[in-house]
Amino acid sequence: DSGVTQTPKHLITATGQRVTLRCSPRSGDLSVYWYQQSLDQGLQFLIQYYNGEERAKGNILERFSAQQFPDLHSELNLSSLELGDSALYFCASSTGQGGNQPQHFGDGTRLSIL
Amino acid sequence: AQSVTQLGSHVSVSEGALVLLRCNYSSSVPPYLFWYVQYPNQGLQLLLKYTTGATLVKGINGFEAEFKKSETSFHLTKPSAHMSDAAEYFCAVSGYNQGGKLIFGQGTELSVKP
């Protein structure tokens, strides 16, 4: 058990809809990261928050947004969903914000778009 | 820019044989390097990391990796494969002053034959 909790585990919805994925980091971790894993793109970094502030951004679509709340949990919002958004979305957390920090991953949310 | 190349999307070894998973990276800044393992329907688990110091790093489950700057490589090895090692392995790179984003390779699926 990594200590990172993601909900829900599975999500099935339709094109055009909006969903929210939730992540609770390990106790004491201030950084939260979001990654997308798909068969064609592999594991892609989306965004990082550190103590409530955006710290780094990857190839995150404009239809996607995230935030980290004062209690350090994070939410990833996906809107105007397309078939290609079907993927496994991982949240990870680390103590600090630097690249040398080991990241601890949750078990992911599997998003299926019908 | 940073990138990671894992040679071989699938590697098969016999139980008790040497495991060698190859990883080459490209980085314009001193890299931090990681190996993660992913079991089916689970998140990624950190095996080992190189940040600074000793170039031969030991990880969990008997795995180790050596950072070779001249070869831009960070290959993962284990002297004797066990059936429980069957999983997908990801090499990842991050860099100093780039936040914590991890750039992953495409992954190598390891099969272990009895």
Side-chain angles (χ1 to χ4, degrees):
Chain A
D1 182 9
S2 68
V4 178
T5 303
Q6 290 188 246
T7 57
K9 293 190 184 304
H10 303 276
L11 203 47
I12 302 174
T13 188
T15 56
Q17 296 299 304
R18 173 188 169 92
V19 296
T20 297
L21 282 53
R22 194 178 193 278
C23 171
S24 294
R26 286 190 327 161
S27 178
D29 284 357
L30 298 179
S31 270
V32 169
Y33 311 79
W34 287 97
Y35 294 87
Q36 180 193 60
Q37 185 178 34
S38 61
L39 284 176
D40 54 344
Q41 297 289 327
L43 269 161
Q44 299 282 318
F45 168 77
L46 296 178
I47 198 163
Q48 174 195 4
Y49 280 84
Y50 176 75
N51 204 21
E53 299 291 326
E54 184 181 304
R55 180 64 180 89
K57 208 167 186 176
N59 296 325
I60 186 168
L61 299 171
E62 286 192 10
R63 300 183 287 108
F64 295 3
S65 65
Q67 57 183 327
Q68 186 180 27
F69 295 87
D71 67 352
L72 301 177
H73 91 272
S74 178
E75 292 181 356
L76 179 66
N77 299 296
L78 315 177
S79 62
S80 302
L81 287 167
E82 302 175 359
L83 292 176
D85 297 328
S86 294
L88 194 50
Y89 291 84
F90 285 111
C91 170
S93 71
S94 67
T95 306
Q97 60 179 317
N100 60 343
Q101 298 286 310
Q103 296 178 24
H104 303 272
F105 283 75
D107 286 341
T109 292
R110 184 170 296 280
L111 176 63
S112 299
I113 312 299
L114 303 179
Chain B
Q2 296 175 307
S3 65
V4 174
T5 301
Q6 291 183 238
L7 189 61
S9 59
H10 190 98
V11 170
S12 182
V13 301
S14 296
E15 192 172 20
L18 171 72
V19 176
L20 171 60
L21 304 183
R22 300 178 187 273
C23 171
N24 287 89
Y25 70 91
S26 171
S27 180
S28 56
V29 297
Y32 302 124
L33 294 157
F34 304 82
W35 274 99
Y36 283 86
V37 61
Q38 184 179 27
Y39 297 100
N41 300 314
Q42 293 186 25
L44 283 75
Q45 180 183 7
L46 179 68
L47 280 176
L48 48 78
K49 64 182 175 78
Y50 168 79
T51 54
T52 58
T55 56
L56 181 63
V57 293
K58 296 186 184 298
I60 62 172
N61 301 338
F63 285 94
E64 64 181 38
E66 186 170 11
F67 169 59
K68 292 187 176 180
K69 184 178 179 180
S70 61
E71 299 178 7
T72 61
S73 69
F74 191 56
H75 302 330
L76 182 71
T77 60
K78 182 174 180 177
S80 177
H82 192 273
M83 296 296 291
S84 61
D85 294 327
E88 184 138 25
Y89 292 79
F90 292 92
C91 181
V93 66
S94 65
Y96 171 77
N97 206 26
Q98 296 186 352
K101 69 175 180 179
L102 288 172
I103 306 299
F104 284 90
Q106 285 298 103
T108 297
E109 185 178 355
L110 175 67
S111 300
V112 182
K113 299 175 291 186

